Amino acid sequence: MTERTFSIIKPDATRRNLTGKVNAVIEDAGLRIVAQRRIQMTEDQAKKFYEVHAERPFYGELVEFMTSAPVVVQVLEGENAVARYREVMGATNPKDAAPGTIRALYAENVGENSVHGSDSQENARLEIAQFFTDADIVG
Ligand code: RTP
Ligand code: MG
């Protein structure tokens, strides 16, 4: 089934000028970038986005990291896009990420791990709505 997921190219990747290389992996995997914008996340945006992790010990560090440089927010479309993109990203910790995945190729460590991808269709809808309107998405 064709569906959409939400992606963020994180500050460690934009800082190293890796946006194009990450996008190449996404597109080679058959996912289509149907919306994309480079933004500087505010502290409020980052806190809201990662609210589910508010009680975790790494929350403060994560919010600081996500606001430390520009990010690229994206909507990806394709067959089973949510699960497919999680596969393409690789495990959260790059040490555990399968060869060829974005995190195996580019992530620096478990925190600075180059990309975010939604973990369910429901979260994909909520996350897309946090950053894009319907008019921004051109499928
Ligand atoms: P994401 O939400 O960014 O797509 O990553 P994920 O599902 O693979 O991992 P998740 O458990 O949701 O964690 C969210 C992000 O928090 C940072 N993190 N740091 N220092 C740590 O131990 C630690 N653990 C997680 C990472 O940036 C992770 O992607
Ligand atoms: Mg997650």
Side-chain angles (χ1 to χ4, degrees):
M1 189 194 43
T2 299
E3 62 183 23
R4 287 174 177 169
T5 192
F6 179 72
S7 162
I8 303 177
I9 303 179
K10 295 183 178 181
D12 66 286
T14 63
R15 215 180 264 130
R16 287 174 290 148
N17 231 8
L18 293 172
T19 300
K21 288 202 163 81
V22 170
N23 279 346
V25 180
I26 290 170
E27 293 187 331
D28 286 349
L31 293 164
R32 191 168 285 277
I33 301 164
V34 294
Q36 173 167 261
R37 187 163 70 245
R38 181 172 162 106
I39 60 167
Q40 171 63 54
M41 261 203 198
T42 64
E43 189 178 334
D44 281 353
Q45 273 178 317
K47 279 184 172 163
K48 179 169 177 228
F49 185 75
Y50 278 121
E51 209 161 36
V52 291
H53 295 310
E55 304 307 319
R56 308 280 284 275
F58 57 79
Y59 182 62
E61 209 175 279
L62 178 57
V63 169
E64 199 174 311
F65 166 58
M66 292 301 289
T67 56
S68 68
V71 299
V72 177
V73 291
Q74 307 176 305
V75 180
L76 309 182
E77 188 176 271
E79 279 292 298
N80 301 311
V82 171
R84 179 79 185 115
Y85 189 45
R86 298 287 298 189
E87 261 174 35
V88 171
M89 287 162 53
T92 309
N93 189 334
K95 287 183 185 144
D96 303 325
T101 61
I102 294 168
R103 284 165 168 170
L105 288 166
Y106 302 121
E108 303 201 290
N109 54 60
V110 67
E112 308 209 345
N113 59 3
S114 302
V115 279
H116 160 82
S118 308
D119 58 11
S120 68
Q121 287 189 52
E122 176 58 12
N123 282 338
R125 273 188 287 277
L126 294 170
E127 291 171 4
I128 289 168
Q130 198 183 328
F131 293 94
F132 293 101
T133 66
D134 284 349
D136 296 325
I137 304 169
V138 183

